[in-house]
Amino acid sequence: MQHPSVIPQEIAQFNALAARWWDENGPMRPLHMMNGPRAAWVAERVRNLVGPGVEILDVGCGAGLLAEALAKQGFDVLGVDAGTEVIEAARSHAQGQDLNLEYRNATAEELVQEGLKFPVVTALEIIEHVADPVEFLRSLAALLEPGGLLFLSTLNRTPKSFLTAKLGAEYILRLLPAGTHDWKKFVTPVELGHYCREVGLSLADTAGLSFSPARRRFEVSRDLSVNYLALARAV
């Protein structure tokens, strides 16, 4: 059965990168560079709004960069992904670290069918890769406990993001494999707000995730023009 969160070609593309996912200088280098600041942004808000050590569901976890980072900060994390190879890479990397961290080869829709609920759900760098963003968000909303928090990150559909995140990252600097992103599927913050309201969520906070050439790293900022983080709350 086809799910709104699954495009088979996308799953195959990311599965093909599984063996090098944890290589900081490999095809996932931009994600490695973003992972520290984005994990810190999420963790701070979870602690302040829900509490320390709570259970977090990480949807579209890939090989586990965010899931592992959150588990190391004391949270109880379940990472799920539709890709079998990336889940195996995640399990392999986490082995022996004694973390409150589990992985499942599953989709958000399958967890909804099981009736599972979580106080916090994360879905970073995934909404621009799904078949139906609104229906995907509807599934994520259904996985939240009342008042639960949903964390998202994605790419804004702007001329700047086309030049930097698409042409620059994939074809000029070769930071990502060519074809990783479809610029037309990038989501603006205004669109994300509309999508959230449509499925019973309230967009509560946003922040940019910007690359600083001087520091050679990504930092949380006010600039939403390329990468941005978002927090929505179940209403």
Side-chain angles (χ1 to χ4, degrees):
M1 182 175 64
Q2 181 69 26
H3 295 302
S5 61
V6 175
I7 299 176
Q9 298 92 328
E10 295 270 6
I11 302 303
Q13 178 178 350
F14 288 114
N15 270 334
L17 299 172
R20 297 193 63 200
W21 204 285
W22 281 94
D23 178 0
E24 294 185 8
N25 295 310
M28 291 295 129
R29 182 184 173 197
L31 276 186
H32 281 274
M33 296 173 72
M34 289 190 288
N35 200 49
R38 69 179 188 168
W41 194 83
V42 171
E44 179 184 17
R45 280 150 186 79
V46 174
R47 289 193 187 97
N48 290 342
L49 298 172
V50 186
V54 299
E55 189 175 15
I56 298 177
L57 171 67
D58 184 23
V59 176
C61 66
L65 293 188
L66 177 70
E68 196 169 294
L70 292 175
K72 287 177 177 176
Q73 296 204 40
F75 297 105
D76 184 0
V77 183
L78 171 62
V80 300
D81 199 284
T84 54
E85 284 88 349
V86 293
I87 285 294
E88 286 308 310
R91 286 176 177 148
S92 176
H93 194 270
Q95 193 171 6
Q97 295 195 62
D98 195 27
L99 299 171
N100 288 325
L101 174 61
E102 293 184 11
Y103 290 107
R104 283 185 59 184
N105 180 209
T107 65
E109 294 83 2
E110 289 167 345
L111 300 190
V112 171
Q113 291 171 2
E114 295 175 23
L116 298 179
K117 298 281 186 180
F118 301 84
V120 179
V121 175
T122 60
L124 305 193
E125 305 299 318
I126 182 67
I127 195 170
E128 69 272 19
H129 295 288
V130 302
D132 187 327
V134 174
E135 290 307 310
F136 177 58
L137 280 176
R138 197 181 308 280
S139 295
L140 298 182
L143 289 166
L144 286 173
E145 296 175 355
L149 306 180
L150 171 63
F151 291 88
L152 303 159
S153 72
T154 189
L155 288 143
N156 197 350
R157 195 175 63 257
T158 61
K160 184 177 179 181
S161 74
F162 182 77
L163 290 173
T164 60
K166 180 61 182 176
L167 290 183
E170 295 183 21
Y171 294 96
I172 298 173
L173 299 177
R174 301 288 183 178
L175 295 174
L176 291 168
T180 297
H181 291 115
D182 180 351
W183 180 80
K184 296 187 295 294
K185 296 187 70 175
F186 290 3
V187 180
T188 71
V190 171
E191 288 170 341
L192 185 61
H194 288 318
Y195 295 164
C196 285
R197 286 192 293 275
E198 191 171 336
V199 302
L201 298 170
S202 174
L203 191 60
D205 195 5
T206 56
L209 195 56
S210 305
F211 182 70
S212 169
R215 296 183 176 88
R216 301 293 300 169
R217 68 187 187 193
F218 279 89
E219 300 173 339
V220 175
S221 72
R222 296 182 180 179
D223 181 4
L224 308 184
S225 62
V226 183
N227 296 85
Y228 67 98
L229 297 149
L231 164 60
R233 192 156 206 164
V235 295

